[in-house]
């Protein structure tokens, strides 16, 4: 991870505070002890990637558990023999929220032979039936979230995504302060408990409350695992480990899609996807704390124990001067605790603002395509979901050589612009051709491109922040992401103004986000260009970054 130093305040030295020299002039102590990548790092980063599965399950579940389907006002018991189409045509000529008043003269026979009197009086429907041909019982059918309750359908996901925004900051702060492993495991336990609790709720508002807390803990799990992964490796493996941490995402989408075909009822699906998260709790006894974080906190002996075990697992001889090497990390000036205000000073202010915009745009594009698959009306929901998930797998794999050879800025810019162009092309083709596969092909290109962005942007973000505020910096980006996610459930309501407006919005946001990335420094080989400023802390010291970027 590199060095974490404190540069004395200007009161102690009159010369202008400056950032340390480029990291190439100083050793990466952790990599010098255990190697940049070995069997130990391979095992740990693989295990950490598993935490992405339950988190992705809970994000993608509403695609099926909250799927809006056709509904109608239920037939009275004495009219149960009337065909459904005939009943809907007679009793609900306008919509399923109001049903025609029935008199004694209205019988099953009269409705079926078209002689039933059409009384122009309607009353509010109290009980509905739902089309279960594509999905089974959903939260909509269980709690009758239709008609005047229709707006409540999005409430559970809105509060979940509010929780994501809050958890991005809170989880990042406590992880930077108390350690990656503690927060990762604590939030993982909470996530599993909440997943089981959601099966026991008896009302929709109880379900909403559970989803709120679930969003908060889920994002903490994802990013604690991600940051810990990149802090266990060195050199080019930072990029590789970071990208590979996201391989479970498309696999999780496929698993949810396949399981929803076998288990169409939402409670059964929720239970099946909650159990794997419980098994990850045993990794407490296997996973280490980040040695780089321990060193940055001055806990040298704890870091040394972990490094000795890792070196032994990697069959690497410990340096004879390991104690002297680790002393480089010793903190000689007490700094303030990690604070969000540290991100709003010096050169980090510009990076925080640009990343805020970029994350908002990327989230709108990525999740706008992912979570609105059902709104495209492109045939079978499960097949379409699987197709758009599978295209992400090569996107992730392709991200690795691109990041290693072409840097970060331009690949992210290009993929976001390509996604925007693909969205525009899909709308043009939907107007010119009635073949849904033409639109699916464009969506595949857009999903491939923004899927690559979704892999590269977290790497880029982590490289732009120093160790002591890295989780906090990544977490603050999640405020932006959370705000964007809150908009996702309402994105398709823009069709009230124009049917093409949702996709045009996604295209415009994606292109704008790509342009914003160009204002940031590149971090090829994990290093940003050296700034001429330092980041002042409130106590007069100047904190610097490590080899993840300045």
């Amino acid at each position: 991870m590199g060095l974490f130093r404190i540069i004395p305040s200007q009161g102690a030295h009159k010369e202008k505070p400056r950032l340390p020299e480029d990291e190439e002039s100083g050793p990466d102590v952790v990599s010098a002890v255990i190697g940049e990548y070995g069997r130990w790092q391979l095992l740990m980063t693989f295990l950490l990637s598993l935490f992405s599965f339950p988190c992705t399950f809970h994000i993608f579940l509403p695609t099926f558990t909250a799927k809006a389907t056709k509904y109608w006002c239920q037939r009275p018991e004495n009219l149960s023999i009337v065909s459904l189409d005939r009943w809907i045509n007679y009793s609900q000529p306008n919509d399923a929220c109001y049903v025609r008043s029935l008199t004694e003269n209205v019988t099953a026979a009269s409705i079926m032979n078209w002689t039933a009197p059409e009384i122009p009086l309607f009353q509010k429907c109290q009980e509905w039936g739902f089309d279960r041909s594509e999905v089974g019982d959903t939260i909509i059918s269980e709690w009758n979230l239709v008609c005047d309750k229709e707006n409540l359908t999005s409430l559970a996901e809105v509060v979940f995504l509010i929780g994501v925004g809050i958890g991005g900051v809170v989880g990042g702060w406590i992880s930077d302060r108390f350690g990656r492993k503690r927060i990762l495991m604590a939030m993982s336990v909470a996530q599993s408990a909440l997943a089981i609790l959601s099966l026991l709720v008896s009302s929709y508002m109880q379900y909403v409350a559970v989803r709120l807390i679930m969003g908060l803990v889920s994002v903490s799990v994802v990013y604690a695992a991600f940051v810990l992964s990149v802090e266990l490796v060195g050199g080019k493996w930072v990029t590789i480990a970071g990208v590979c941490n996201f391989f479970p995402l498309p696999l999780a989408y496929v698993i949810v899609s396949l399981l929803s075909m076998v288990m169409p009822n939402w409670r059964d699906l929720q239970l099946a996807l909650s159990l794997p998260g419980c098994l990850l709790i045993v990794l407490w006894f296997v996973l280490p704390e980040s040695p780089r974080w321990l060193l940055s906190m001055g806990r040298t002996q704890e870091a040394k124990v972990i490094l000795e075990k890792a070196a032994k697992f990697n069959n690497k001889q410990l340096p004879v001067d390991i104690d002297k090497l680790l002393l480089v990390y010793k903190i000689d000036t007490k700094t303030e605790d990690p604070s969000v205000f540290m991100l709003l000073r010096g050169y980090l202010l510009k990076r925080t603002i640009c990343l805020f915009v970029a994350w908002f745009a990327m989230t709108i594009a990525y999740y706008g395509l992912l979570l609105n698959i059902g709104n495209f009306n492109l045939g079978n929901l499960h097949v379409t979901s699987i197709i758009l998930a599978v295209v992400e797998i090569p996107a992730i794999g392709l991200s690795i050589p691109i990041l290693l050879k072409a840097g970060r800025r331009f690949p992210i810019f290009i993929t976001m612009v390509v996604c925007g162009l693909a969205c525009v092309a899909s709308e043009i083709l939907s107007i010119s051709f009635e073949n849904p596969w033409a639109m699916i092909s464009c969506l595949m290109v857009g999903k491939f491109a923004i899927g690559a962005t979704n892999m590269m942007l977290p790497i880029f973000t982590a490289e732009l922040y120093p160790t002591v505020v890295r989780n906090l910096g990544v977490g603050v980006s999640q405020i932006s992401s959370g705000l964007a996610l809150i908009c996702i459930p309402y994105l398709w309501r823009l069709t009230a103004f124009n049917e093409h407006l949702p996709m045009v919005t996604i295209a415009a946001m994606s292109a704008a986000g790509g342009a914003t990335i160009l204002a940031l420094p590149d971090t090829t080989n994990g290093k940003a260009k050296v700034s001429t400023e330092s980041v002042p802390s409130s106590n007069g010291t100047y904190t610097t970054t490590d080899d993840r970027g300045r």
Side-chain angles (χ1 to χ4, degrees), residues 487-519:
C487 301
I488 297 300
Y490 302 103
L491 186 60
W492 246 253
R493 299 193 181 185
L494 293 175
T495 54
F497 303 99
N498 186 284
E499 62 177 332
H500 303 293
L501 193 54
M503 290 295 281
V504 171
T505 301
I506 291 175
M509 291 300 302
S510 185
T516 303
I517 289 294
L518 295 179

Side-chain angles (χ1 to χ4, degrees), residues 183-304:
I183 302 310
L184 171 63
M185 299 311 301
M187 293 299 181
S188 184
V189 170
Q191 184 183 57
S192 299
L194 288 167
I196 300 300
L197 182 62
S198 66
L199 298 171
L200 306 177
V201 297
S202 57
S203 71
Y204 183 62
M205 295 314 296
Q206 291 175 351
Y207 176 79
V208 168
V210 171
R211 289 291 289 178
L212 171 64
I213 306 173
M214 177 69 81
L216 191 150
V217 301
S218 291
V219 71
S220 300
V221 171
V222 168
Y223 281 93
F226 168 75
V227 172
L228 182 52
S229 292
V230 299
E231 289 184 346
L232 294 178
V233 299
K236 68 178 182 180
W237 296 100
V238 173
T239 299
I240 298 172
V243 171
C244 289
N245 191 259
F246 291 96
F247 261 115
L249 268 63
L251 299 178
Y253 300 148
V254 172
I255 290 172
V256 174
S257 301
L258 292 175
L259 273 180
S260 66
M261 298 171 68
V262 181
M263 301 176 179
N265 296 330
W266 81 269
R267 289 183 185 270
D268 296 336
L269 184 60
Q270 177 86 35
L271 176 61
L273 296 174
S274 299
L275 295 178
C278 300
L279 302 177
L280 296 177
I281 297 173
V282 301
L283 294 180
W284 169 266
F285 303 101
V286 180
L287 294 173
E289 180 53 89
S290 167
R292 302 181 194 272
W293 179 83
L294 290 171
L295 290 171
S296 72
M297 294 292 106
R299 295 159 61 175
T300 305
Q301 288 305 311
E302 295 175 59
K304 181 181 177 181

Side-chain angles (χ1 to χ4, degrees), residues 79 82 86-87 90 102 106-116:
L79 300 178
V82 178
R86 185 69 190 96
W87 162 250
Y90 169 75
L102 302 177
V106 178
T107 63
S110 64
I111 293 177
M112 289 188 290
N113 62 23
W114 303 86
T115 60

Side-chain angles (χ1 to χ4, degrees), residues 308-421:
E308 287 174 342
K309 292 180 179 178
K312 183 178 179 180
F313 197 89
N314 283 346
N315 293 323
K316 187 173 177 62
Q317 189 72 30
L318 284 172
V320 293
D321 58 344
I322 181 173
D323 291 315
K324 186 180 296 184
L325 286 172
L326 296 181
L327 284 176
V328 175
Y329 279 84
K330 185 177 180 180
I331 299 179
D332 53 16
T333 304
K334 183 174 176 60
T335 63
E336 62 182 337
D337 290 329
S339 166
V340 69
F341 296 107
M342 296 173 68
L343 305 178
L344 303 178
R345 302 183 188 127
Y347 64 86
L348 287 185
L349 174 61
K350 176 183 176 182
R351 297 183 186 184
T352 300
I353 293 174
C354 290
L355 288 171
F356 195 92
V357 174
W359 272 93
F360 185 91
M362 189 276 288
T363 303
I364 287 288
Y366 182 79
Y367 287 101
L369 296 178
L370 175 69
L371 300 182
N372 286 293
I373 293 174
N375 292 321
F376 293 125
N377 298 318
L378 297 175
N380 187 280
L381 174 63
H382 301 88
V383 174
T384 306
S385 298
I386 292 172
I387 291 174
L388 295 182
V390 168
V391 298
E392 271 197 61
I393 297 177
I396 297 173
L398 189 61
S399 298
I400 295 175
I402 289 177
L403 287 170
L404 292 176
K405 301 296 184 181
R408 279 70 164 140
R409 276 197 314 168
F410 287 109
I412 294 175
F413 165 73
I414 291 170
T415 53
M416 294 189 78
V417 170
V418 168
C419 174
L421 293 175

Side-chain angles (χ1 to χ4, degrees), residues 57-85:
F57 290 158
H58 297 304
I59 291 174
F60 195 53
L61 263 174
T63 301
F64 302 97
T65 61
K67 174 74 169 71
T69 60
K70 182 182 177 181
Y71 62 93
W72 55 86
C73 195
Q74 283 282 39
R75 292 163 289 189
E77 197 170 315
N78 64 317
L79 300 178
S80 58
I81 62 173
V82 178
S83 68
L84 182 60
D85 289 340

Side-chain angles (χ1 to χ4, degrees), residues 99-161:
V99 62
R100 192 185 301 277
S101 297
L102 302 177
T103 63
E104 295 180 355
N105 297 330
V106 178
T107 63
S110 64
I111 293 177
M112 289 188 290
N113 62 23
W114 303 86
T115 60
E118 295 185 353
I119 302 173
L121 295 176
F122 295 86
Q123 60 188 29
K124 290 187 70 172
C125 183
Q126 302 298 322
E127 186 179 359
W128 290 268
F130 295 85
D131 180 8
R132 291 178 169 82
S133 60
E134 195 168 35
V135 293
D137 292 333
T138 64
I139 62 171
I140 296 176
S141 62
E142 178 160 335
W143 288 301
N144 290 325
L145 303 180
V146 295
C147 297
D148 54 350
K149 294 182 179 179
E150 185 175 3
N151 289 332
L152 293 177
T153 304
S154 302
L155 179 62
E157 289 324 293
V158 168
V159 300
F160 175 84
L161 301 169

